[in-house]
PDB file of all heavy atoms in Angstrom:
ATOM      1  N   ALA B 116      50.425  73.651   1.783  1.00  0.00           N
ATOM      2  CA  ALA B 116      50.562  72.344   1.139  1.00  0.00           C
ATOM      3  C   ALA B 116      50.436  71.203   2.132  1.00  0.00           C
ATOM      4  O   ALA B 116      50.476  70.042   1.757  1.00  0.00           O
ATOM      5  CB  ALA B 116      51.904  72.265   0.425  1.00  0.00           C
ATOM      6  N   GLY B 117      50.303  71.551   3.414  1.00  0.00           N
ATOM      7  CA  GLY B 117      50.209  70.504   4.427  1.00  0.00           C
ATOM      8  C   GLY B 117      51.508  69.747   4.607  1.00  0.00           C
ATOM      9  O   GLY B 117      51.526  68.602   5.028  1.00  0.00           O
ATOM     10  N   LEU B 118      52.622  70.392   4.285  1.00  0.00           N
ATOM     11  CA  LEU B 118      53.912  69.705   4.395  1.00  0.00           C
ATOM     12  C   LEU B 118      54.699  70.144   5.631  1.00  0.00           C
ATOM     13  O   LEU B 118      55.819  69.692   5.835  1.00  0.00           O
ATOM     14  CB  LEU B 118      54.754  69.972   3.133  1.00  0.00           C
ATOM     15  CG  LEU B 118      54.245  69.354   1.836  1.00  0.00           C
ATOM     16  CD1 LEU B 118      55.072  69.812   0.659  1.00  0.00           C
ATOM     17  CD2 LEU B 118      54.276  67.834   1.916  1.00  0.00           C
ATOM     18  N   GLU B 119      54.105  71.032   6.417  1.00  0.00           N
ATOM     19  CA  GLU B 119      54.826  71.598   7.565  1.00  0.00           C
ATOM     20  C   GLU B 119      55.482  70.547   8.469  1.00  0.00           C
ATOM     21  O   GLU B 119      56.639  70.695   8.830  1.00  0.00           O
ATOM     22  CB  GLU B 119      53.872  72.463   8.378  1.00  0.00           C
ATOM     23  CG  GLU B 119      54.389  73.849   8.617  1.00  0.00           C
ATOM     24  CD  GLU B 119      53.325  74.701   9.267  1.00  0.00           C
ATOM     25  OE1 GLU B 119      52.202  74.204   9.487  1.00  0.00           O
ATOM     26  OE2 GLU B 119      53.620  75.865   9.554  1.00  0.00           O
ATOM     27  N   PRO B 120      54.742  69.467   8.817  1.00  0.00           N
ATOM     28  CA  PRO B 120      55.370  68.509   9.746  1.00  0.00           C
ATOM     29  C   PRO B 120      56.544  67.763   9.128  1.00  0.00           C
ATOM     30  O   PRO B 120      57.303  67.111   9.846  1.00  0.00           O
ATOM     31  CB  PRO B 120      54.230  67.532  10.068  1.00  0.00           C
ATOM     32  CG  PRO B 120      52.997  68.089   9.470  1.00  0.00           C
ATOM     33  CD  PRO B 120      53.378  69.098   8.458  1.00  0.00           C
ATOM     34  N   PHE B 121      56.675  67.844   7.801  1.00  0.00           N
ATOM     35  CA  PHE B 121      57.710  67.033   7.151  1.00  0.00           C
ATOM     36  C   PHE B 121      58.876  67.864   6.638  1.00  0.00           C
ATOM     37  O   PHE B 121      59.669  67.376   5.834  1.00  0.00           O
ATOM     38  CB  PHE B 121      57.093  66.259   5.983  1.00  0.00           C
ATOM     39  CG  PHE B 121      55.807  65.577   6.331  1.00  0.00           C
ATOM     40  CD1 PHE B 121      54.596  66.069   5.876  1.00  0.00           C
ATOM     41  CD2 PHE B 121      55.813  64.456   7.145  1.00  0.00           C
ATOM     42  CE1 PHE B 121      53.409  65.440   6.213  1.00  0.00           C
ATOM     43  CE2 PHE B 121      54.624  63.828   7.486  1.00  0.00           C
ATOM     44  CZ  PHE B 121      53.418  64.327   7.020  1.00  0.00           C
ATOM     45  N   ALA B 122      58.982  69.096   7.099  1.00  0.00           N
ATOM     46  CA  ALA B 122      59.962  70.034   6.525  1.00  0.00           C
ATOM     47  C   ALA B 122      61.377  69.468   6.493  1.00  0.00           C
ATOM     48  O   ALA B 122      62.147  69.776   5.594  1.00  0.00           O
ATOM     49  CB  ALA B 122      59.935  71.341   7.285  1.00  0.00           C
ATOM     50  N   GLU B 123      61.723  68.628   7.465  1.00  0.00           N
ATOM     51  CA  GLU B 123      63.094  68.117   7.488  1.00  0.00           C
ATOM     52  C   GLU B 123      63.225  66.727   6.864  1.00  0.00           C
ATOM     53  O   GLU B 123      64.270  66.104   6.933  1.00  0.00           O
ATOM     54  CB  GLU B 123      63.635  68.103   8.924  1.00  0.00           C
ATOM     55  CG  GLU B 123      63.697  69.478   9.584  1.00  0.00           C
ATOM     56  CD  GLU B 123      64.341  70.539   8.686  1.00  0.00           C
ATOM     57  OE1 GLU B 123      65.379  70.239   8.069  1.00  0.00           O
ATOM     58  OE2 GLU B 123      63.787  71.653   8.579  1.00  0.00           O
ATOM     59  N   ARG B 124      62.141  66.257   6.270  1.00  0.00           N
ATOM     60  CA  ARG B 124      62.212  64.933   5.661  1.00  0.00           C
ATOM     61  C   ARG B 124      62.863  65.041   4.277  1.00  0.00           C
ATOM     62  O   ARG B 124      62.658  66.020   3.566  1.00  0.00           O
ATOM     63  CB  ARG B 124      60.812  64.348   5.524  1.00  0.00           C
ATOM     64  CG  ARG B 124      60.827  62.866   5.205  1.00  0.00           C
ATOM     65  CD  ARG B 124      59.460  62.297   5.033  1.00  0.00           C
ATOM     66  NE  ARG B 124      58.768  62.088   6.308  1.00  0.00           N
ATOM     67  CZ  ARG B 124      57.625  61.405   6.395  1.00  0.00           C
ATOM     68  NH1 ARG B 124      57.068  60.899   5.323  1.00  0.00           N
ATOM     69  NH2 ARG B 124      57.025  61.252   7.565  1.00  0.00           N
ATOM     70  N   LEU B 125      63.613  64.021   3.910  1.00  0.00           N
ATOM     71  CA  LEU B 125      64.245  64.026   2.586  1.00  0.00           C
ATOM     72  C   LEU B 125      63.163  63.885   1.508  1.00  0.00           C
ATOM     73  O   LEU B 125      62.224  63.120   1.660  1.00  0.00           O
ATOM     74  CB  LEU B 125      65.226  62.859   2.442  1.00  0.00           C
ATOM     75  CG  LEU B 125      66.454  62.870   3.334  1.00  0.00           C
ATOM     76  CD1 LEU B 125      67.417  61.772   2.923  1.00  0.00           C
ATOM     77  CD2 LEU B 125      67.157  64.217   3.280  1.00  0.00           C
ATOM     78  N   ALA B 126      63.346  64.628   0.420  1.00  0.00           N
ATOM     79  CA  ALA B 126      62.338  64.618  -0.635  1.00  0.00           C
ATOM     80  C   ALA B 126      62.137  63.224  -1.208  1.00  0.00           C
ATOM     81  O   ALA B 126      61.038  62.852  -1.602  1.00  0.00           O
ATOM     82  CB  ALA B 126      62.723  65.589  -1.736  1.00  0.00           C
ATOM     83  N   GLY B 127      63.216  62.428  -1.241  1.00  0.00           N
ATOM     84  CA  GLY B 127      63.110  61.079  -1.787  1.00  0.00           C
ATOM     85  C   GLY B 127      62.233  60.174  -0.948  1.00  0.00           C
ATOM     86  O   GLY B 127      61.784  59.134  -1.413  1.00  0.00           O
ATOM     87  N   LYS B 128      61.990  60.548   0.308  1.00  0.00           N
ATOM     88  CA  LYS B 128      61.196  59.700   1.199  1.00  0.00           C
ATOM     89  C   LYS B 128      59.733  60.123   1.239  1.00  0.00           C
ATOM     90  O   LYS B 128      58.975  59.655   2.082  1.00  0.00           O
ATOM     91  CB  LYS B 128      61.780  59.762   2.620  1.00  0.00           C
ATOM     92  CG  LYS B 128      63.209  59.266   2.713  1.00  0.00           C
ATOM     93  CD  LYS B 128      63.306  58.061   3.642  1.00  0.00           C
ATOM     94  CE  LYS B 128      64.567  57.263   3.393  1.00  0.00           C
ATOM     95  NZ  LYS B 128      65.742  57.875   4.007  1.00  0.00           N
ATOM     96  N   LEU B 129      59.338  61.034   0.348  1.00  0.00           N
ATOM     97  CA  LEU B 129      57.951  61.496   0.339  1.00  0.00           C
ATOM     98  C   LEU B 129      57.118  60.626  -0.598  1.00  0.00           C
ATOM     99  O   LEU B 129      57.643  60.004  -1.512  1.00  0.00           O
ATOM    100  CB  LEU B 129      57.893  62.949  -0.155  1.00  0.00           C
ATOM    101  CG  LEU B 129      58.628  63.996   0.688  1.00  0.00           C
ATOM    102  CD1 LEU B 129      58.575  65.349   0.000  1.00  0.00           C
ATOM    103  CD2 LEU B 129      58.034  64.092   2.070  1.00  0.00           C
ATOM    104  N   SER B 130      55.797  60.630  -0.373  1.00  0.00           N
ATOM    105  CA  SER B 130      54.907  59.908  -1.289  1.00  0.00           C
ATOM    106  C   SER B 130      54.770  60.710  -2.580  1.00  0.00           C
ATOM    107  O   SER B 130      55.163  61.877  -2.641  1.00  0.00           O
ATOM    108  CB  SER B 130      53.538  59.742  -0.648  1.00  0.00           C
ATOM    109  OG  SER B 130      52.870  60.983  -0.633  1.00  0.00           O
ATOM    110  N   GLY B 131      54.211  60.076  -3.600  1.00  0.00           N
ATOM    111  CA  GLY B 131      54.077  60.731  -4.899  1.00  0.00           C
ATOM    112  C   GLY B 131      53.334  62.061  -4.809  1.00  0.00           C
ATOM    113  O   GLY B 131      53.762  63.063  -5.381  1.00  0.00           O
ATOM    114  N   GLY B 132      52.238  62.066  -4.070  1.00  0.00           N
ATOM    115  CA  GLY B 132      51.445  63.287  -3.946  1.00  0.00           C
ATOM    116  C   GLY B 132      52.205  64.384  -3.235  1.00  0.00           C
ATOM    117  O   GLY B 132      52.160  65.559  -3.623  1.00  0.00           O
ATOM    118  N   MET B 133      52.929  64.004  -2.181  1.00  0.00           N
ATOM    119  CA  MET B 133      53.694  65.009  -1.420  1.00  0.00           C
ATOM    120  C   MET B 133      54.810  65.594  -2.279  1.00  0.00           C
ATOM    121  O   MET B 133      55.098  66.787  -2.220  1.00  0.00           O
ATOM    122  CB  MET B 133      54.269  64.380  -0.150  1.00  0.00           C
ATOM    123  CG  MET B 133      53.229  64.185   0.942  1.00  0.00           C
ATOM    124  SD  MET B 133      53.749  62.916   2.086  1.00  0.00           S
ATOM    125  CE  MET B 133      54.622  63.859   3.296  1.00  0.00           C
ATOM    126  N   LYS B 134      55.429  64.740  -3.075  1.00  0.00           N
ATOM    127  CA  LYS B 134      56.495  65.232  -3.957  1.00  0.00           C
ATOM    128  C   LYS B 134      55.941  66.288  -4.907  1.00  0.00           C
ATOM    129  O   LYS B 134      56.562  67.333  -5.117  1.00  0.00           O
ATOM    130  CB  LYS B 134      57.058  64.072  -4.798  1.00  0.00           C
ATOM    131  CG  LYS B 134      58.138  63.300  -4.113  1.00  0.00           C
ATOM    132  CD  LYS B 134      58.705  62.287  -5.097  1.00  0.00           C
ATOM    133  CE  LYS B 134      59.647  61.348  -4.387  1.00  0.00           C
ATOM    134  NZ  LYS B 134      60.017  60.205  -5.183  1.00  0.00           N
ATOM    135  N   GLN B 135      54.770  65.989  -5.495  1.00  0.00           N
ATOM    136  CA  GLN B 135      54.187  66.940  -6.436  1.00  0.00           C
ATOM    137  C   GLN B 135      53.858  68.250  -5.732  1.00  0.00           C
ATOM    138  O   GLN B 135      54.070  69.325  -6.281  1.00  0.00           O
ATOM    139  CB  GLN B 135      52.918  66.361  -7.071  1.00  0.00           C
ATOM    140  CG  GLN B 135      53.172  65.200  -8.019  1.00  0.00           C
ATOM    141  CD  GLN B 135      54.017  65.580  -9.222  1.00  0.00           C
ATOM    142  OE1 GLN B 135      55.239  65.703  -9.097  1.00  0.00           O
ATOM    143  NE2 GLN B 135      53.389  65.758 -10.359  1.00  0.00           N
ATOM    144  N   LYS B 136      53.357  68.159  -4.505  1.00  0.00           N
ATOM    145  CA  LYS B 136      53.022  69.390  -3.781  1.00  0.00           C
ATOM    146  C   LYS B 136      54.287  70.189  -3.500  1.00  0.00           C
ATOM    147  O   LYS B 136      54.304  71.414  -3.638  1.00  0.00           O
ATOM    148  CB  LYS B 136      52.291  69.051  -2.472  1.00  0.00           C
ATOM    149  CG  LYS B 136      50.826  68.731  -2.705  1.00  0.00           C
ATOM    150  CD  LYS B 136      50.048  68.646  -1.411  1.00  0.00           C
ATOM    151  CE  LYS B 136      50.250  67.284  -0.779  1.00  0.00           C
ATOM    152  NZ  LYS B 136      49.464  67.116   0.459  1.00  0.00           N
ATOM    153  N   LEU B 137      55.354  69.476  -3.135  1.00  0.00           N
ATOM    154  CA  LEU B 137      56.618  70.169  -2.871  1.00  0.00           C
ATOM    155  C   LEU B 137      57.108  70.873  -4.142  1.00  0.00           C
ATOM    156  O   LEU B 137      57.496  72.052  -4.118  1.00  0.00           O
ATOM    157  CB  LEU B 137      57.668  69.170  -2.379  1.00  0.00           C
ATOM    158  CG  LEU B 137      59.099  69.713  -2.286  1.00  0.00           C
ATOM    159  CD1 LEU B 137      59.165  70.853  -1.289  1.00  0.00           C
ATOM    160  CD2 LEU B 137      60.070  68.610  -1.891  1.00  0.00           C
ATOM    161  N   ALA B 138      57.069  70.140  -5.265  1.00  0.00           N
ATOM    162  CA  ALA B 138      57.539  70.727  -6.522  1.00  0.00           C
ATOM    163  C   ALA B 138      56.700  71.961  -6.854  1.00  0.00           C
ATOM    164  O   ALA B 138      57.215  72.975  -7.337  1.00  0.00           O
ATOM    165  CB  ALA B 138      57.445  69.702  -7.640  1.00  0.00           C
ATOM    166  N   MET B 139      55.422  71.881  -6.551  1.00  0.00           N
ATOM    167  CA  MET B 139      54.537  72.997  -6.878  1.00  0.00           C
ATOM    168  C   MET B 139      54.836  74.204  -5.999  1.00  0.00           C
ATOM    169  O   MET B 139      54.914  75.327  -6.505  1.00  0.00           O
ATOM    170  CB  MET B 139      53.093  72.552  -6.686  1.00  0.00           C
ATOM    171  CG  MET B 139      52.113  73.552  -7.210  1.00  0.00           C
ATOM    172  SD  MET B 139      50.751  72.670  -7.938  1.00  0.00           S
ATOM    173  CE  MET B 139      49.473  73.856  -7.814  1.00  0.00           C
ATOM    174  N   ILE B 140      55.008  73.996  -4.701  1.00  0.00           N
ATOM    175  CA  ILE B 140      55.276  75.184  -3.868  1.00  0.00           C
ATOM    176  C   ILE B 140      56.665  75.748  -4.148  1.00  0.00           C
ATOM    177  O   ILE B 140      56.877  76.947  -4.012  1.00  0.00           O
ATOM    178  CB  ILE B 140      55.054  74.942  -2.344  1.00  0.00           C
ATOM    179  CG1 ILE B 140      55.922  73.815  -1.817  1.00  0.00           C
ATOM    180  CG2 ILE B 140      53.592  74.703  -2.043  1.00  0.00           C
ATOM    181  CD1 ILE B 140      55.826  73.653  -0.313  1.00  0.00           C
ATOM    182  N   CYS B 141      57.588  74.902  -4.588  1.00  0.00           N
ATOM    183  CA  CYS B 141      58.895  75.435  -4.982  1.00  0.00           C
ATOM    184  C   CYS B 141      58.731  76.360  -6.184  1.00  0.00           C
ATOM    185  O   CYS B 141      59.360  77.407  -6.267  1.00  0.00           O
ATOM    186  CB  CYS B 141      59.870  74.304  -5.331  1.00  0.00           C
ATOM    187  SG  CYS B 141      60.611  73.542  -3.892  1.00  0.00           S
ATOM    188  N   ALA B 142      57.867  75.961  -7.118  1.00  0.00           N
ATOM    189  CA  ALA B 142      57.639  76.802  -8.296  1.00  0.00           C
ATOM    190  C   ALA B 142      56.885  78.074  -7.913  1.00  0.00           C
ATOM    191  O   ALA B 142      56.989  79.095  -8.585  1.00  0.00           O
ATOM    192  CB  ALA B 142      56.854  76.025  -9.348  1.00  0.00           C
TER     193      ALA B 142
END
Side-chain angles (χ1 to χ4, degrees):
Chain B
L118 292 174
E119 233 173 358
F121 313 106
E123 299 312 316
R124 193 182 284 190
L125 295 189
K128 299 241 160 79
L129 298 175
S130 73
M133 284 157 91
K134 274 186 189 168
Q135 291 298 78
K136 281 190 279 183
L137 170 62
M139 189 143 155
I140 58 174
C141 280

